[in-house]
Amino acid sequence: MIGVIKMGKLFIAGGRPPNMDFSSIIGQKEIVGRLKNSIKHKKVGHAYIFSGPEGIGKKTIARAFAHMLLCSRPEEDRGCGKCISCRLWAKSTNPDFNITESEGLSIAVNDIRDMQSDMVVKPLYSDRKVYLIVNGEKMTMQAQNCLLKTLEEPPEYGVIILTTSNYDALLDTVCSRCTKYSFVKNTREEVQKVLESKLRNKGKDLDFIIQYSDGVIGTALELAMSDEFVPLREKTIEIILELETTAVSSKFLDICGFFVENKDNIDKVLNIMLLVYRDLAVLLADGKENILINSDKKNKIVNVANRYTLEKLVKNIEIIEFIRRSIKQNANYQLAIETMIIRLQED
């Protein structure tokens, strides 16, 4: 594979694309349809932004789109598989497809310059060259301004695709020069279809995972294939019950320790907590046990519901959301967690 790795950043010619096409993609039908039509009617743009939650399928669809763009004789929803571009694609060695991706916190200006240096060279096996910038929100301001020069005067054969889970982090000047595609959350049926096709006979109860994933197939697959999520969820629910029944001083250090140990999984932990409080609120408000997200934990949830008021549950949800935002804004992690635990135990 042609490419260089420098300072944790990745600029790869050939890309490592998986052998997926539009026919194998579940969900995002409107976006897939529009992309296919742009090829069919020869109205392909020079720059795109694929925006949506992490794990929604932006990179997968970008690669399927790139494959068709590079194919000499694309079919309705896939490359022909026979031209030299497709044969190289199948081997992950097509030099006309390139990925810029950061393995660290940012994509620096030199990474964009590397991409631009490659773009000067005309395509070798196709009429186009396609450049995929993964997690475009990681580009520094300098990197985005550098990219802007290419967006303003792109070579006729160049196509740039940016994926992002934080569209607002991109400069307005960058956004205005790209066609935006907003990815929507998948339906429960679509998530279930993907899980069943991938997992087959793994025997896992997928109901909670489907609910928890909130329409994001990548999240559902990650959890379904993880051996760590089930015990993490069990312990988190145990912690929630302890928060309501235990004096602050009794197990405070142990509870804090759990959150410190799971700092890398804090989003998952907080999501589990929110869903439990949501279920408790549903029980108090409507008494409907059949619509609980944590349906497999129904007995535990029903048994503790009378310890709460609806007002307290709403307050707890607001506390967790506030702490989540604080952590994302680089607040002191341990202090934020200690504050959350104390406030969740307050009447």
Side-chain angles (χ1 to χ4, degrees):
M1 183 185 302
I2 302 168
V4 296
I5 300 178
K6 181 172 64 173
M7 295 178 63
K9 314 303 191 292
L10 205 57
F11 176 77
I12 305 174
R16 296 184 304 189
N19 294 321
M20 289 194 69
D21 52 56
F22 283 140
S23 66
S24 60
I25 291 171
I26 296 172
Q28 310 302 331
K29 292 180 181 179
E30 181 182 351
I31 290 175
V32 168
R34 288 170 61 190
L35 293 174
K36 290 187 338 186
N37 282 333
S38 72
I39 297 173
K40 181 179 179 180
H41 299 296
K42 302 186 185 303
K43 293 185 177 180
V44 176
H46 285 295
Y48 297 86
I49 294 176
F50 289 0
S51 176
E54 185 176 349
I56 200 69
K58 303 182 296 292
K59 189 159 62 171
T60 298
I61 288 180
R63 285 170 161 166
F65 184 43
H67 186 189
M68 289 188 69
L69 288 174
L70 296 176
C71 176
S72 299
R73 300 179 298 276
E75 299 177 4
E76 182 182 353
D77 50 19
R78 60 171 64 85
C80 70
K82 299 175 183 178
C83 68
I84 186 169
S85 180
C86 281
R87 295 201 302 271
L88 289 170
W89 181 273
K91 296 177 182 178
S92 299
T93 56
N94 191 324
D96 294 330
F97 176 64
N98 305 272
I99 296 179
T100 299
E101 183 170 15
S102 171
E103 294 181 339
L105 296 176
S106 65
I107 296 173
V109 65
N110 285 338
D111 302 304
I112 300 302
R113 287 173 179 157
D114 287 343
M115 184 195 80
Q116 290 169 327
S117 295
D118 183 87
M119 193 179 292
V120 172
V121 181
K122 291 186 177 180
L124 294 175
Y125 301 107
S126 176
D127 293 332
R128 299 185 178 94
K129 295 186 81 170
V130 181
Y131 295 84
L132 173 58
I133 302 176
V134 180
N135 296 327
E137 71 275 8
K138 289 187 175 184
M139 286 188 292
T140 63
M141 291 298 104
Q142 191 179 9
Q144 292 192 52
N145 281 315
C146 183
L147 176 65
L148 190 58
K149 298 175 184 178
T150 301
L151 296 176
E152 290 172 341
E153 299 179 7
E156 60 181 9
Y157 52 79
V159 178
I160 297 172
I161 305 171
L162 285 162
T163 70
T164 181
S165 56
N166 185 5
Y167 181 79
D168 293 335
L170 299 176
L171 293 175
D172 290 341
T173 46
V174 169
C175 296
S176 66
R177 288 164 174 81
C178 301
T179 301
K180 181 185 178 185
Y181 285 85
S182 297
F183 283 58
V184 297
K185 292 180 179 179
N186 298 280
T187 65
R188 175 187 173 86
E189 291 72 25
E190 288 168 343
V191 176
Q192 184 168 350
K193 186 175 181 181
V194 171
L195 289 179
E196 289 176 348
S197 67
K198 296 286 186 182
L199 300 178
R200 298 189 185 274
N201 297 320
K202 295 215 171 180
K204 289 196 174 185
D205 180 6
L206 302 181
D207 191 58
F208 173 76
I209 290 174
I210 292 170
Q211 294 274 24
Y212 177 95
S213 67
D214 192 26
V216 179
I217 287 174
T219 299
L221 284 172
E222 178 191 356
L223 298 184
M225 295 178 177
S226 170
D227 293 327
E228 300 173 357
F229 182 72
V230 171
L232 179 68
R233 180 183 172 225
E234 295 288 342
K235 184 61 178 178
T236 301
I237 293 175
E238 180 185 323
I239 292 290
I240 292 173
L241 300 182
E242 285 185 344
L243 285 173
E244 184 58 25
T245 59
T246 305
V248 173
S249 60
S250 177
K251 290 190 175 180
F252 184 77
L253 292 179
D254 290 340
I255 294 173
C256 285
F258 167 77
F259 285 97
V260 170
E261 290 169 8
N262 287 283
K263 183 175 181 179
D264 291 340
N265 289 316
I266 190 60
D267 259 352
K268 292 186 179 72
V269 171
L270 295 181
N271 281 339
I272 294 167
M273 295 176 72
L274 286 170
L275 292 178
V276 171
Y277 286 133
R278 175 265 181 200
D279 281 349
L280 286 163
V282 166
L283 272 178
L284 290 183
D286 300 322
K288 296 180 178 179
E289 298 180 12
N290 62 326
I291 60 173
L292 298 183
I293 292 176
N294 296 275
S295 56
D296 58 326
K297 305 295 181 184
K298 181 175 68 175
N299 290 340
K300 285 187 176 182
I301 291 171
V302 170
N303 287 340
V304 300
N306 60 0
R307 299 175 186 167
Y308 297 88
T309 65
L310 192 56
E311 181 182 8
K312 171 61 175 170
L313 291 169
V314 171
K315 181 181 176 183
N316 284 2
I317 290 170
E318 290 173 348
I319 291 168
I320 293 170
E321 291 288 13
F322 174 77
I323 294 300
R324 187 207 296 275
R325 289 194 299 271
S326 299
I327 291 171
K328 286 185 177 180
Q329 293 167 3
N330 295 319
N332 180 286
Y333 180 79
Q334 183 149 351
L335 180 60
I337 292 301
E338 290 175 359
T339 300
M340 179 184 72
I341 293 169
I342 292 171
R343 292 186 63 192
L344 289 176
Q345 290 191 312
E346 292 174 349
D347 292 333

